[in-house]
C-alpha cells in the first residue's frame, strides 16, 4: 500500500486533524502519553531519541509515528521535531482508534501486531544502545588524548 493509499484509507475511517509545524517546532515529546498517531503529509521531520538524545531518524512523507506506542500502551519513545526550511504538514488521529481496531481483531492478529511492534521497538533500542556505546567510547578517547 502506498502512503497516499494508506492516508486515504485512514481519512475514510476516521477524522484527521491536520496541523502545520515550522522548523524547530516539537510535535511530540519523549515520555508523554501517545494520545495521537502522527502521519507526515509533507515536509521534513526528525525523530530524536536514545540515551543521549543524539540518535536521529529522518521521516519522509507517509511516515507514521506513535503507532507502536499506541499498540504497546507505552509513552512516546522519542521527540518528533519539524526540520528543514519549509513548514511540515502532519495529520493526527487519536491513538485510541488504533487500539479500538486492534481490540476488535482476532487474537492471532492482535498477537502478531504486538509481536511486530515489539520487534521494531527492540531494534530501535539496539540502535540507541549502539549510539550510547559510541558516545562513551568517544568520551574515553577524548579523555585519553587529553592525558597524553
Amino acid at each position: 500500500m502506498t502512503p497516499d493509499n494508506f492516508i486515504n484509507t485512514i481519512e475514510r475511517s476516521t477524522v484527521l486533524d491536520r496541523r502545520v509545524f515550522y522548523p524547530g517546532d516539537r510535535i511530540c515529546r519523549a515520555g508523554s502519553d501517545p494520545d495521537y498517531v502522527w502521519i507526515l503529509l509533507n515536509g521534513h521531520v526528525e525523530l530524536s531519541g536514545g540515551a543521549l538524545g543524539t540518535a536521529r531518524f529522518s521521516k519522509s512523507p507517509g511516515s507514521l509515528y506513535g503507532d507502536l506506542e499506541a499498540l504497546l500502551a507505552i509513552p512516546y519513545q522519542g521527540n518528533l521535531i519539524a526540520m528543514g526550511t519549509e513548514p511540515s504538514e502532519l495529520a493526527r488521529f487519536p491513538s485510541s482508534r488504533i487500539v479500538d481496531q486492534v481490540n476488535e481483531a482476532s487474537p492471532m492478529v492482535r498477537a502478531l501486531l504486538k509481536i511486530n511492534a515489539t520487534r521494531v521497538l527492540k531494534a530501535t533500542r539496539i540502535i540507541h544502545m549502539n549510539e550510547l556505546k559510541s558516545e562513551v567510547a568517544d568520551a574515553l578517547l577524548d579523555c585519553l588524548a587529553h592525558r597524553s
Side-chain angles (χ1 to χ4, degrees), residues 2 12 14-15 23-24 37-38 46 62-64 92-93 95 104 110-111 122 125 129 132:
T2 67
R12 285 193 306 270
T14 190
V15 175
V37 173
W38 296 90
E46 193 171 81
S63 293
L64 290 175
R92 69 180 189 173
F93 61 93
S95 57
E104 291 176 12
R110 282 195 309 266
K122 283 182 180 179
R125 287 183 176 158
M129 287 305 297
L132 177 60

Side-chain angles (χ1 to χ4, degrees), residues 1-11 39 62 64 93:
M1 179 178 287
T2 67
D4 288 338
N5 288 343
F6 179 73
I7 290 167
N8 289 336
T9 299
I10 290 174
E11 284 180 331
I39 306 166
L64 290 175
F93 61 93

Side-chain angles (χ1 to χ4, degrees), residues 1 6 21 53 59 91 95 120 148:
M1 179 178 287
F6 179 73
F21 294 90
K59 298 284 196 174
S95 57
V120 170
S148 302

Side-chain angles (χ1 to χ4, degrees), residues 28 34 36-38 64-71 74 76 95 98:
C28 57
Y36 296 96
V37 173
W38 296 90
L64 290 175
Y65 183 65
D67 53 326
L68 297 177
E69 289 85 350
L71 284 170
I74 59 174
Y76 285 127
S95 57
I98 285 183

Side-chain angles (χ1 to χ4, degrees), residues 7 10-11 13-21 27 35-41 88-95 97:
I7 290 167
I10 290 174
E11 284 180 331
S13 66
T14 190
V15 175
L16 289 178
D17 175 18
R18 292 173 183 250
R19 301 218 167 186
V20 173
F21 294 90
I27 300 157
D35 296 332
Y36 296 96
V37 173
W38 296 90
I39 306 166
L40 178 58
L41 301 175
S88 296
E89 182 184 12
L90 289 93
R92 69 180 189 173
F93 61 93
S95 57
R97 294 285 302 180

